[in-house]
Amino acid sequence: MATKPPQGDPVQDAPKVAERKRAAAGLPAIGHTLRMAHQQMGVKRTALTLLSVNQKDGFDCPGCAWPEPEHRHKAEFCENGAKAVAEEATLRRVTPEFFAAHPVSDLARRSGYWLGQQGRLTHPMYLPEGADHYEPVSWERAFDIVAEELTALSSPDEAVFYTSGRTSNEAAFLYQLFARKLGTNNLPDCSNMCHESSGSALSETIGVGKGSVLLEDLHQADLVVVAGQNPGTNHPRMLSALEKAKANGARIVSVNPLPEAGLERFKNPQTPKGLTTGTSLTDLFLQIRIGGDQALFRLLNKLILDTPGAVDEEFVRAHTHGFHAFAEAARAADWDETLAATGLAREDVERFLRMVLDSERIVVCWAMGLTQHKHSVPMIREIVNFLLLRGNIGRPGAGVCPVRGHSNVQGDRTMGIFERPAPAFLDALGREFGFAPPREHGYDVVRAIRALRDGEAKVFFAMGGNFVSASPDTEVTEAAMRRARLTVHVSTKLNRSHAVTGARALILPTLGRTERDLQAGGEQFVTVEDSMGMVHASRGRLEPASPHLLSEPAIVCRLARRVLGAEDDVPWEEFEKDYATVRDRIARVVPGFEDFNARVAHPGGFALPHAPRDERRFPTATGKANFTAAPVEYPHLPEGRLLLQTLRSHDQYNTTIYGLDDRYRGIRNGRRVVLVNPDDAEALQLADGSYVDLVSEWKDGVERRAPGFRVVHYPTARGCAAAYYPETNVLVPLDATADVSNTPASKSVVVRLEQSATD
Ligand SMILES: Nc1nc2c(c(=O)[nH]1)N[C@H]1C(S)=C(S)[C@@H](COP(=O)(O)OP(=O)(O)OC[C@H]3O[C@@H](n4cnc5c(=O)[nH]c(N)nc54)[C@H](O)[C@@H]3O)O[C@H]1N2
Ligand SMILES: Nc1nc2c(c(=O)[nH]1)N[C@H]1C(S)=C(S)[C@@H](COP(=O)(O)OP(=O)(O)OC[C@H]3O[C@@H](n4cnc5c(=O)[nH]c(N)nc54)[C@H](O)[C@@H]3O)O[C@H]1N2
Ligand SMILES: [Mo]
């Protein structure tokens, strides 16, 4: 299987490589931000828009899910948040004339970058069966088409309702209610590809699938471990929190196969010192091999157990379960095996141990570097073991901190976007709306792709996102999508999922976070939940990109009325007019949202309860925090192969490509690069600047190939390689997923590098 790079694109991918950076942000970032923002929005709109990001009366940044501090700067945004805003508030438009000029066959040949750069979608568009052009369609006709296809299904389980994590709480709640009233739990979401492993590991061990720290905890920690995360690019505002922790005396350990600029040195653009020298953040950099983290923490746990007085015995006795089985497994950890699995030196591990033993309060932060491996769930459970051993959960300055991706991905799950909903949630939902929600589990992302591929799902509906580009095994996923009867995308911007469609397709254009949302009941706001369980309002200020847009809640309400009939008991019309009426229902269905409307009126919002954090209560099956004792796993590489991680550049937001540079890593003007350790490159005879095809090897024997990547000699850990997503999703086998969470293992793909034919 070969995927050609997009043809017929004015964008030329021709990477140039310079020295990598050792500091993040500072003045160059400000210049870069404003340049990109001006290109998309012009000068005046840039100023207006950026000043209301993350302010208490403004909108929530559509970038990442990092929380807002209590005391906000006038400009509480970062370089990459500003890019996310500029992409949405752009003045460029994709109109019906655009679709008349560009048939779908043309769009399918374009790069994701080119598609995204065309601007905001302005009209509902319909692709009839057999046609090659989208044509404008009225909202009424669009809903009729969806209703036609949904009612033609032999079971509601033949429909799939995907969500990407930008959707507000209100829209998410309505959306899952609609799917469940229709009769299905097929509610896959981007979380299935993102932090599902964290949710799985945490629910089982501490009883809540979310992080147990607030921003203040990070500020008060003695030791912050940042594992498998690149905050300089993906959560830049987290660097301010790390800087503050540091100023309060914390030490920082970074565990990563790559040296990442933000973690080395941070030049905070909001302080005078930050503009010059900046703060050096990392005290200890553990350059771990991909997938070695479980082994590292297992050994560390053994060393803690072996140190007299190091275990918080009182906490272990009072609050935990399973200690003895865990301790037995941990005591068997072996130095040699761990050093081989991690690629670390003995001194590294010993220094880490000393820092741990010197610290009262420890926070461990992580993101995709830990969640997207076959053994991610036991890996994260081992980190929980590590924290439990010294009582580091449920006290100030300590805890687990999975750093979420999309700005409301955590809130969407809280609102019931989940293919395996808890029975208590369904009970409450059924009681509130007087119906019997379906109980059978639905499809997650990977299972939805299989169902589409096998003809078992026929309608695919997406509330945001770019499913075909974000999902693994691009060719399989695209073929699956093409088998659907109908694909529908509620979107702000054009993307590849609009070009790779079912027999019929709809694009339903919607309002973004930055835009004013006017309904019959007046101007509306929505709410979101950040990575630390803080819920707050988000209110757009800009004129909508087009008068034909509907808000996400309005789209769901109108669709639900059309499909379920005007006699349906749910007051969809009222919900559309006034989102406060939706919040009243959320308050009655979702624990922690009591008195929602009153509490969200408070500037800055409120914190959701979290039993382990607030009261050291662990709502697990055993009623205690669970130690676990899984066997240690790590990837075994066949001779001459590398372990490839697929990650983000500095100029992208998932599948939205802002530009072709990855400034901190010294890459410019191209994305088809593969970073390889110089010693591995020498052993494999791969000169810097040569071109290779990446060929993934998986036990199904299928050859998956991504052609034409420039080799870049780069200081990653031995045996490891890195290349950007989504170009490399073609290499990730659909069935290569994490145990338990079923998340695609897109950070550990075994590849061989072949000289490109064109080289
Ligand atoms: N600007 C911007 N912001 C974003 C996004 C974006 O695309 N652009 N995406 C958003 C989303 S949805 C998410 S989920 C987050 C993603 O945020 P991150 O998780 O920071 O994103 P990745 O680029 O996937 O980076 C993975 C990091 O883990 C490291 N890593 C890989 N494998 C391993 C391993 O086995 N062990 C360890 N210890 N480290 C490893 C990589 O070297 C890299 O530093 O960011 C969110 N914020
Ligand atoms: N190989 C590999 N694959 C990965 C990953 C990886 O690290 N490696 N990361 C995974 C992760 S962590 C994630 S979260 C997924 C991301 O998967 P998705 O969430 O599906 O993808 P995005 O690229 O974030 O979606 C971008 C599109 O969302 C739409 N959009 C933007 N804002 C809004 C809005 O306000 N409303 C609506 N309705 N639409 C909007 C725009 O049309 C835009 O084109 O990808 C996953 N895939
Ligand atoms: Mo994500």
Side-chain angles (χ1 to χ4, degrees), residues 162 164 166 193-194 368 372 406 464-466 470 490-493 495 510 552 646 648 654-655 725 729 746-747:
Y162 175 71
S164 162
R166 277 198 191 172
M193 301 185 266
C194 185
M368 296 305 100
Q372 300 174 333
H406 271 299
N466 180 4
V490 178
S491 308
T492 52
K493 309 260 317 235
N495 65 46
T510 193
E552 291 182 351
T646 60
R648 293 154 173 80
N654 299 338
T655 70
Y725 127 80
N729 285 40
S746 43
K747 290 289 189 282

PDB file of all heavy atoms in Angstrom, residues 162 164 166 193-194 368 372 406 464-466 470 490-493 495 510 552 646 648 654-655 725 729 746-747, ligand 2:
ATOM      1  N   TYR A 162     -19.711  10.770  16.176  1.00  0.00           N
ATOM      2  CA  TYR A 162     -18.366  11.124  16.657  1.00  0.00           C
ATOM      3  C   TYR A 162     -18.359  12.541  17.227  1.00  0.00           C
ATOM      4  O   TYR A 162     -19.140  13.394  16.796  1.00  0.00           O
ATOM      5  CB  TYR A 162     -17.393  11.031  15.476  1.00  0.00           C
ATOM      6  CG  TYR A 162     -15.969  11.479  15.745  1.00  0.00           C
ATOM      7  CD1 TYR A 162     -15.122  10.723  16.550  1.00  0.00           C
ATOM      8  CD2 TYR A 162     -15.456  12.657  15.171  1.00  0.00           C
ATOM      9  CE1 TYR A 162     -13.810  11.124  16.790  1.00  0.00           C
ATOM     10  CE2 TYR A 162     -14.136  13.058  15.404  1.00  0.00           C
ATOM     11  CZ  TYR A 162     -13.325  12.293  16.210  1.00  0.00           C
ATOM     12  OH  TYR A 162     -12.021  12.688  16.443  1.00  0.00           O
ATOM     13  N   SER A 164     -15.426  15.656  18.433  1.00  0.00           N
ATOM     14  CA  SER A 164     -14.073  16.151  18.681  1.00  0.00           C
ATOM     15  C   SER A 164     -14.175  17.097  19.867  1.00  0.00           C
ATOM     16  O   SER A 164     -15.218  17.688  20.099  1.00  0.00           O
ATOM     17  CB  SER A 164     -13.562  16.865  17.431  1.00  0.00           C
ATOM     18  OG  SER A 164     -12.481  17.693  17.739  1.00  0.00           O
ATOM     19  N   ARG A 166     -13.786  20.041  20.916  1.00  0.00           N
ATOM     20  CA  ARG A 166     -14.028  21.485  21.043  1.00  0.00           C
ATOM     21  C   ARG A 166     -15.477  21.781  21.386  1.00  0.00           C
ATOM     22  O   ARG A 166     -15.850  22.913  21.670  1.00  0.00           O
ATOM     23  CB  ARG A 166     -13.659  22.204  19.745  1.00  0.00           C
ATOM     24  CG  ARG A 166     -12.192  22.478  19.676  1.00  0.00           C
ATOM     25  CD  ARG A 166     -11.867  23.551  18.659  1.00  0.00           C
ATOM     26  NE  ARG A 166     -10.419  23.572  18.474  1.00  0.00           N
ATOM     27  CZ  ARG A 166      -9.803  24.273  17.550  1.00  0.00           C
ATOM     28  NH1 ARG A 166     -10.488  25.027  16.715  1.00  0.00           N
ATOM     29  NH2 ARG A 166      -8.498  24.245  17.464  1.00  0.00           N
ATOM     30  N   MET A 193      -8.638   8.314  21.048  1.00  0.00           N
ATOM     31  CA  MET A 193      -7.300   8.306  20.434  1.00  0.00           C
ATOM     32  C   MET A 193      -6.311   9.085  21.282  1.00  0.00           C
ATOM     33  O   MET A 193      -5.168   9.269  20.903  1.00  0.00           O
ATOM     34  CB  MET A 193      -7.367   8.960  19.050  1.00  0.00           C
ATOM     35  CG  MET A 193      -8.313   8.271  18.101  1.00  0.00           C
ATOM     36  SD  MET A 193      -8.233   8.996  16.449  1.00  0.00           S
ATOM     37  CE  MET A 193      -9.570  10.188  16.512  1.00  0.00           C
ATOM     38  N   CYS A 194      -6.779   9.601  22.417  1.00  0.00           N
ATOM     39  CA  CYS A 194      -6.020  10.627  23.139  1.00  0.00           C
ATOM     40  C   CYS A 194      -5.734  10.158  24.570  1.00  0.00           C
ATOM     41  O   CYS A 194      -4.787   9.421  24.795  1.00  0.00           O
ATOM     42  CB  CYS A 194      -6.843  11.907  23.057  1.00  0.00           C
ATOM     43  SG  CYS A 194      -6.092  13.360  23.731  1.00  0.00           S
ATOM     44  N   MET A 368       0.467  12.566  25.444  1.00  0.00           N
ATOM     45  CA  MET A 368       0.403  11.475  24.466  1.00  0.00           C
ATOM     46  C   MET A 368       1.624  10.541  24.463  1.00  0.00           C
ATOM     47  O   MET A 368       1.543   9.419  23.995  1.00  0.00           O
ATOM     48  CB  MET A 368       0.196  12.041  23.049  1.00  0.00           C
ATOM     49  CG  MET A 368      -1.108  12.772  22.859  1.00  0.00           C
ATOM     50  SD  MET A 368      -2.549  11.793  23.288  1.00  0.00           S
ATOM     51  CE  MET A 368      -2.938  12.401  24.917  1.00  0.00           C
ATOM     52  N   GLN A 372      -0.267   6.474  24.132  1.00  0.00           N
ATOM     53  CA  GLN A 372      -0.453   5.851  22.809  1.00  0.00           C
ATOM     54  C   GLN A 372       0.518   4.699  22.546  1.00  0.00           C
ATOM     55  O   GLN A 372       1.208   4.677  21.529  1.00  0.00           O
ATOM     56  CB  GLN A 372      -0.332   6.929  21.717  1.00  0.00           C
ATOM     57  CG  GLN A 372      -1.388   8.039  21.858  1.00  0.00           C
ATOM     58  CD  GLN A 372      -1.201   9.177  20.883  1.00  0.00           C
ATOM     59  OE1 GLN A 372      -0.094   9.444  20.438  1.00  0.00           O
ATOM     60  NE2 GLN A 372      -2.283   9.868  20.540  1.00  0.00           N
ATOM     61  N   HIS A 406      -7.733  18.668  23.536  1.00  0.00           N
ATOM     62  CA  HIS A 406      -8.742  19.620  23.105  1.00  0.00           C
ATOM     63  C   HIS A 406      -9.316  20.367  24.292  1.00  0.00           C
ATOM     64  O   HIS A 406      -9.465  19.828  25.386  1.00  0.00           O
ATOM     65  CB  HIS A 406      -9.881  18.880  22.409  1.00  0.00           C
ATOM     66  CG  HIS A 406      -9.670  18.708  20.939  1.00  0.00           C
ATOM     67  ND1 HIS A 406      -9.547  19.775  20.096  1.00  0.00           N
ATOM     68  CD2 HIS A 406      -9.590  17.597  20.162  1.00  0.00           C
ATOM     69  CE1 HIS A 406      -9.408  19.331  18.851  1.00  0.00           C
ATOM     70  NE2 HIS A 406      -9.415  18.005  18.865  1.00  0.00           N
ATOM     71  N   GLY A 464     -17.703  18.086  14.763  1.00  0.00           N
ATOM     72  CA  GLY A 464     -16.343  18.609  14.730  1.00  0.00           C
ATOM     73  C   GLY A 464     -15.322  17.547  14.375  1.00  0.00           C
ATOM     74  O   GLY A 464     -15.652  16.385  14.153  1.00  0.00           O
ATOM     75  N   GLY A 465     -14.059  17.964  14.337  1.00  0.00           N
ATOM     76  CA  GLY A 465     -12.958  17.045  14.092  1.00  0.00           C
ATOM     77  C   GLY A 465     -12.705  16.764  12.628  1.00  0.00           C
ATOM     78  O   GLY A 465     -13.339  17.343  11.736  1.00  0.00           O
ATOM     79  N   ASN A 466     -11.750  15.878  12.420  1.00  0.00           N
ATOM     80  CA  ASN A 466     -11.337  15.493  11.072  1.00  0.00           C
ATOM     81  C   ASN A 466     -11.028  14.010  11.135  1.00  0.00           C
ATOM     82  O   ASN A 466      -9.864  13.594  11.198  1.00  0.00           O
ATOM     83  CB  ASN A 466     -10.111  16.322  10.669  1.00  0.00           C
ATOM     84  CG  ASN A 466      -9.606  15.993   9.280  1.00  0.00           C
ATOM     85  OD1 ASN A 466     -10.194  15.201   8.543  1.00  0.00           O
ATOM     86  ND2 ASN A 466      -8.499  16.605   8.926  1.00  0.00           N
ATOM     87  N   ALA A 470      -7.361  12.088  11.406  1.00  0.00           N
ATOM     88  CA  ALA A 470      -6.900  11.873  12.779  1.00  0.00           C
ATOM     89  C   ALA A 470      -6.811  10.388  13.120  1.00  0.00           C
ATOM     90  O   ALA A 470      -6.038   9.990  13.991  1.00  0.00           O
ATOM     91  CB  ALA A 470      -7.843  12.568  13.761  1.00  0.00           C
ATOM     92  N   VAL A 490     -20.251  18.455  11.018  1.00  0.00           N
ATOM     93  CA  VAL A 490     -20.501  19.786  11.565  1.00  0.00           C
ATOM     94  C   VAL A 490     -19.123  20.397  11.767  1.00  0.00           C
ATOM     95  O   VAL A 490     -18.341  19.910  12.591  1.00  0.00           O
ATOM     96  CB  VAL A 490     -21.250  19.701  12.913  1.00  0.00           C
ATOM     97  CG1 VAL A 490     -21.461  21.087  13.488  1.00  0.00           C
ATOM     98  CG2 VAL A 490     -22.572  18.955  12.739  1.00  0.00           C
ATOM     99  N   SER A 491     -18.797  21.420  11.002  1.00  0.00           N
ATOM    100  CA  SER A 491     -17.408  21.890  10.943  1.00  0.00           C
ATOM    101  C   SER A 491     -17.325  23.399  10.867  1.00  0.00           C
ATOM    102  O   SER A 491     -18.267  24.068  10.433  1.00  0.00           O
ATOM    103  CB  SER A 491     -16.711  21.345   9.684  1.00  0.00           C
ATOM    104  OG  SER A 491     -16.848  19.948   9.578  1.00  0.00           O
ATOM    105  N   THR A 492     -16.154  23.892  11.237  1.00  0.00           N
ATOM    106  CA  THR A 492     -15.872  25.312  11.032  1.00  0.00           C
ATOM    107  C   THR A 492     -15.021  25.515   9.787  1.00  0.00           C
ATOM    108  O   THR A 492     -15.184  26.501   9.082  1.00  0.00           O
ATOM    109  CB  THR A 492     -15.121  25.893  12.241  1.00  0.00           C
ATOM    110  OG1 THR A 492     -13.989  25.058  12.508  1.00  0.00           O
ATOM    111  CG2 THR A 492     -16.012  25.950  13.467  1.00  0.00           C
ATOM    112  N   LYS A 493     -14.091  24.555   9.573  1.00  0.00           N
ATOM    113  CA  LYS A 493     -13.153  24.712   8.459  1.00  0.00           C
ATOM    114  C   LYS A 493     -13.150  23.465   7.584  1.00  0.00           C
ATOM    115  O   LYS A 493     -13.459  22.373   8.040  1.00  0.00           O
ATOM    116  CB  LYS A 493     -11.724  24.879   9.013  1.00  0.00           C
ATOM    117  CG  LYS A 493     -11.569  25.923  10.070  1.00  0.00           C
ATOM    118  CD  LYS A 493     -11.005  27.230   9.591  1.00  0.00           C
ATOM    119  CE  LYS A 493      -9.870  27.181   8.652  1.00  0.00           C
ATOM    120  NZ  LYS A 493      -8.714  27.931   9.116  1.00  0.00           N
ATOM    121  N   ASN A 495     -11.744  20.330   5.707  1.00  0.00           N
ATOM    122  CA  ASN A 495     -10.676  19.369   5.950  1.00  0.00           C
ATOM    123  C   ASN A 495     -10.890  18.106   5.118  1.00  0.00           C
ATOM    124  O   ASN A 495     -11.884  17.990   4.396  1.00  0.00           O
ATOM    125  CB  ASN A 495     -10.516  19.082   7.455  1.00  0.00           C
ATOM    126  CG  ASN A 495     -11.737  18.393   8.044  1.00  0.00           C
ATOM    127  OD1 ASN A 495     -12.269  17.446   7.481  1.00  0.00           O
ATOM    128  ND2 ASN A 495     -12.181  18.882   9.200  1.00  0.00           N
ATOM    129  N   THR A 510     -20.637  25.661  11.264  1.00  0.00           N
ATOM    130  CA  THR A 510     -21.083  26.076  12.596  1.00  0.00           C
ATOM    131  C   THR A 510     -20.256  27.229  13.146  1.00  0.00           C
ATOM    132  O   THR A 510     -19.179  27.548  12.632  1.00  0.00           O
ATOM    133  CB  THR A 510     -21.049  24.860  13.548  1.00  0.00           C
ATOM    134  OG1 THR A 510     -21.747  25.172  14.751  1.00  0.00           O
ATOM    135  CG2 THR A 510     -19.619  24.464  13.900  1.00  0.00           C
ATOM    136  N   GLU A 552     -23.734  24.872  17.349  1.00  0.00           N
ATOM    137  CA  GLU A 552     -23.813  23.415  17.526  1.00  0.00           C
ATOM    138  C   GLU A 552     -25.090  23.009  18.283  1.00  0.00           C
ATOM    139  O   GLU A 552     -25.778  22.073  17.865  1.00  0.00           O
ATOM    140  CB  GLU A 552     -22.569  22.888  18.242  1.00  0.00           C
ATOM    141  CG  GLU A 552     -21.313  22.973  17.378  1.00  0.00           C
ATOM    142  CD  GLU A 552     -20.084  22.412  18.068  1.00  0.00           C
ATOM    143  OE1 GLU A 552     -20.150  22.101  19.271  1.00  0.00           O
ATOM    144  OE2 GLU A 552     -19.049  22.289  17.405  1.00  0.00           O
ATOM    145  N   THR A 646       4.693   9.188  16.336  1.00  0.00           N
ATOM    146  CA  THR A 646       4.079  10.177  15.439  1.00  0.00           C
ATOM    147  C   THR A 646       3.597  11.327  16.304  1.00  0.00           C
ATOM    148  O   THR A 646       2.766  11.145  17.190  1.00  0.00           O
ATOM    149  CB  THR A 646       2.901   9.549  14.681  1.00  0.00           C
ATOM    150  OG1 THR A 646       1.927   9.094  15.623  1.00  0.00           O
ATOM    151  CG2 THR A 646       3.369   8.354  13.856  1.00  0.00           C
ATOM    152  N   ARG A 648       3.433  15.976  17.071  1.00  0.00           N
ATOM    153  CA  ARG A 648       3.026  17.267  16.526  1.00  0.00           C
ATOM    154  C   ARG A 648       4.215  18.184  16.294  1.00  0.00           C
ATOM    155  O   ARG A 648       5.139  18.214  17.096  1.00  0.00           O
ATOM    156  CB  ARG A 648       2.085  17.959  17.527  1.00  0.00           C
ATOM    157  CG  ARG A 648       0.770  17.238  17.684  1.00  0.00           C
ATOM    158  CD  ARG A 648       0.120  17.485  19.017  1.00  0.00           C
ATOM    159  NE  ARG A 648      -1.220  16.900  19.047  1.00  0.00           N
ATOM    160  CZ  ARG A 648      -1.448  15.597  19.252  1.00  0.00           C
ATOM    161  NH1 ARG A 648      -0.454  14.756  19.495  1.00  0.00           N
ATOM    162  NH2 ARG A 648      -2.685  15.139  19.233  1.00  0.00           N
ATOM    163  N   ASN A 654      -3.330  19.431  15.783  1.00  0.00           N
ATOM    164  CA  ASN A 654      -3.763  18.124  15.293  1.00  0.00           C
ATOM    165  C   ASN A 654      -3.699  18.117  13.770  1.00  0.00           C
ATOM    166  O   ASN A 654      -2.648  18.330  13.211  1.00  0.00           O
ATOM    167  CB  ASN A 654      -5.136  17.758  15.841  1.00  0.00           C
ATOM    168  CG  ASN A 654      -5.127  17.686  17.364  1.00  0.00           C
ATOM    169  OD1 ASN A 654      -4.064  17.504  17.958  1.00  0.00           O
ATOM    170  ND2 ASN A 654      -6.261  17.823  17.983  1.00  0.00           N
ATOM    171  N   THR A 655      -4.852  17.926  13.109  1.00  0.00           N
ATOM    172  CA  THR A 655      -4.792  17.841  11.651  1.00  0.00           C
ATOM    173  C   THR A 655      -4.862  19.209  10.979  1.00  0.00           C
ATOM    174  O   THR A 655      -4.811  19.290   9.760  1.00  0.00           O
ATOM    175  CB  THR A 655      -5.934  16.960  11.103  1.00  0.00           C
ATOM    176  OG1 THR A 655      -7.165  17.656  11.277  1.00  0.00           O
ATOM    177  CG2 THR A 655      -5.993  15.616  11.834  1.00  0.00           C
ATOM    178  N   TYR A 725       2.480  13.581  12.672  1.00  0.00           N
ATOM    179  CA  TYR A 725       1.116  13.144  12.430  1.00  0.00           C
ATOM    180  C   TYR A 725       0.428  14.334  11.780  1.00  0.00           C
ATOM    181  O   TYR A 725       0.796  15.457  12.098  1.00  0.00           O
ATOM    182  CB  TYR A 725       0.530  12.744  13.793  1.00  0.00           C
ATOM    183  CG  TYR A 725      -0.763  13.302  14.289  1.00  0.00           C
ATOM    184  CD1 TYR A 725      -1.982  12.803  13.863  1.00  0.00           C
ATOM    185  CD2 TYR A 725      -0.792  14.327  15.242  1.00  0.00           C
ATOM    186  CE1 TYR A 725      -3.177  13.286  14.365  1.00  0.00           C
ATOM    187  CE2 TYR A 725      -1.989  14.807  15.738  1.00  0.00           C
ATOM    188  CZ  TYR A 725      -3.174  14.292  15.291  1.00  0.00           C
ATOM    189  OH  TYR A 725      -4.355  14.765  15.783  1.00  0.00           O
ATOM    190  N   ASN A 729      -0.074   8.694   9.724  1.00  0.00           N
ATOM    191  CA  ASN A 729      -1.158   7.825  10.223  1.00  0.00           C
ATOM    192  C   ASN A 729      -1.363   6.608   9.340  1.00  0.00           C
ATOM    193  O   ASN A 729      -1.864   5.577   9.793  1.00  0.00           O
ATOM    194  CB  ASN A 729      -2.464   8.610  10.342  1.00  0.00           C
ATOM    195  CG  ASN A 729      -2.441   9.524  11.546  1.00  0.00           C
ATOM    196  OD1 ASN A 729      -1.413  10.132  11.831  1.00  0.00           O
ATOM    197  ND2 ASN A 729      -3.533   9.619  12.256  1.00  0.00           N
ATOM    198  N   SER A 746      -0.074   4.954  18.421  1.00  0.00           N
ATOM    199  CA  SER A 746       0.606   5.768  17.412  1.00  0.00           C
ATOM    200  C   SER A 746       1.932   6.350  17.891  1.00  0.00           C
ATOM    201  O   SER A 746       2.574   7.079  17.157  1.00  0.00           O
ATOM    202  CB  SER A 746      -0.329   6.869  16.908  1.00  0.00           C
ATOM    203  OG  SER A 746      -1.015   7.452  17.967  1.00  0.00           O
ATOM    204  N   LYS A 747       2.333   6.021  19.120  1.00  0.00           N
ATOM    205  CA  LYS A 747       3.683   6.425  19.551  1.00  0.00           C
ATOM    206  C   LYS A 747       4.659   5.246  19.527  1.00  0.00           C
ATOM    207  O   LYS A 747       5.794   5.398  19.965  1.00  0.00           O
ATOM    208  CB  LYS A 747       3.643   7.023  20.969  1.00  0.00           C
ATOM    209  CG  LYS A 747       2.956   8.378  21.066  1.00  0.00           C
ATOM    210  CD  LYS A 747       3.736   9.515  20.452  1.00  0.00           C
ATOM    211  CE  LYS A 747       3.125  10.871  20.748  1.00  0.00           C
ATOM    212  NZ  LYS A 747       1.952  11.200  19.926  1.00  0.00           N
TER     213      LYS A 747
HETATM  214  N1  LIG B   2      -0.719   9.262  14.464  1.00  0.00           N
HETATM  215  C1  LIG B   2      -1.338   9.989  15.389  1.00  0.00           C
HETATM  216  N2  LIG B   2      -2.677  10.132  15.313  1.00  0.00           N
HETATM  217  C2  LIG B   2      -3.321  10.883  16.223  1.00  0.00           C
HETATM  218  C3  LIG B   2      -2.610  11.489  17.287  1.00  0.00           C
HETATM  219  C4  LIG B   2      -1.197  11.313  17.358  1.00  0.00           C
HETATM  220  O1  LIG B   2      -0.508  11.830  18.271  1.00  0.00           O
HETATM  221  N3  LIG B   2      -0.599  10.562  16.389  1.00  0.00           N
HETATM  222  N4  LIG B   2      -3.311  12.212  18.223  1.00  0.00           N
HETATM  223  C5  LIG B   2      -4.715  11.866  18.437  1.00  0.00           C
HETATM  224  C6  LIG B   2      -5.355  12.885  19.285  1.00  0.00           C
HETATM  225  S1  LIG B   2      -4.604  13.162  20.791  1.00  0.00           S
HETATM  226  C7  LIG B   2      -6.488  13.519  18.940  1.00  0.00           C
HETATM  227  S2  LIG B   2      -7.275  14.492  20.112  1.00  0.00           S
HETATM  228  C8  LIG B   2      -7.106  13.333  17.606  1.00  0.00           C
HETATM  229  C9  LIG B   2      -7.732  14.633  17.052  1.00  0.00           C
HETATM  230  O2  LIG B   2      -8.768  14.319  16.229  1.00  0.00           O
HETATM  231  P1  LIG B   2      -9.910  15.399  15.805  1.00  0.00           P
HETATM  232  O3  LIG B   2     -10.383  16.120  16.994  1.00  0.00           O
HETATM  233  O4  LIG B   2     -10.915  14.652  14.998  1.00  0.00           O
HETATM  234  O5  LIG B   2      -9.116  16.334  14.821  1.00  0.00           O
HETATM  235  P2  LIG B   2      -8.784  17.888  14.750  1.00  0.00           P
HETATM  236  O6  LIG B   2      -7.654  17.988  13.795  1.00  0.00           O
HETATM  237  O7  LIG B   2      -8.568  18.474  16.079  1.00  0.00           O
HETATM  238  O8  LIG B   2     -10.104  18.507  14.069  1.00  0.00           O
HETATM  239  C10 LIG B   2      -9.978  19.675  13.301  1.00  0.00           C
HETATM  240  C11 LIG B   2     -11.296  20.083  12.657  1.00  0.00           C
HETATM  241  O9  LIG B   2     -12.248  20.409  13.648  1.00  0.00           O
HETATM  242  C12 LIG B   2     -13.174  21.370  13.143  1.00  0.00           C
HETATM  243  N5  LIG B   2     -13.447  22.363  14.183  1.00  0.00           N
HETATM  244  C13 LIG B   2     -12.596  23.226  14.772  1.00  0.00           C
HETATM  245  N6  LIG B   2     -13.239  23.957  15.708  1.00  0.00           N
HETATM  246  C14 LIG B   2     -14.528  23.532  15.723  1.00  0.00           C
HETATM  247  C15 LIG B   2     -15.686  23.872  16.471  1.00  0.00           C
HETATM  248  O10 LIG B   2     -15.666  24.743  17.344  1.00  0.00           O
HETATM  249  N7  LIG B   2     -16.834  23.171  16.190  1.00  0.00           N
HETATM  250  C16 LIG B   2     -16.893  22.222  15.222  1.00  0.00           C
HETATM  251  N8  LIG B   2     -18.039  21.574  15.019  1.00  0.00           N
HETATM  252  N9  LIG B   2     -15.819  21.905  14.492  1.00  0.00           N
HETATM  253  C17 LIG B   2     -14.658  22.528  14.745  1.00  0.00           C
HETATM  254  C18 LIG B   2     -12.537  22.020  11.933  1.00  0.00           C
HETATM  255  O11 LIG B   2     -13.365  21.785  10.803  1.00  0.00           O
HETATM  256  C19 LIG B   2     -11.172  21.334  11.812  1.00  0.00           C
HETATM  257  O12 LIG B   2     -10.874  21.015  10.463  1.00  0.00           O
HETATM  258  O13 LIG B   2      -6.101  12.838  16.683  1.00  0.00           O
HETATM  259  C20 LIG B   2      -5.503  11.644  17.136  1.00  0.00           C
HETATM  260  N10 LIG B   2      -4.666  11.060  16.104  1.00  0.00           N
END
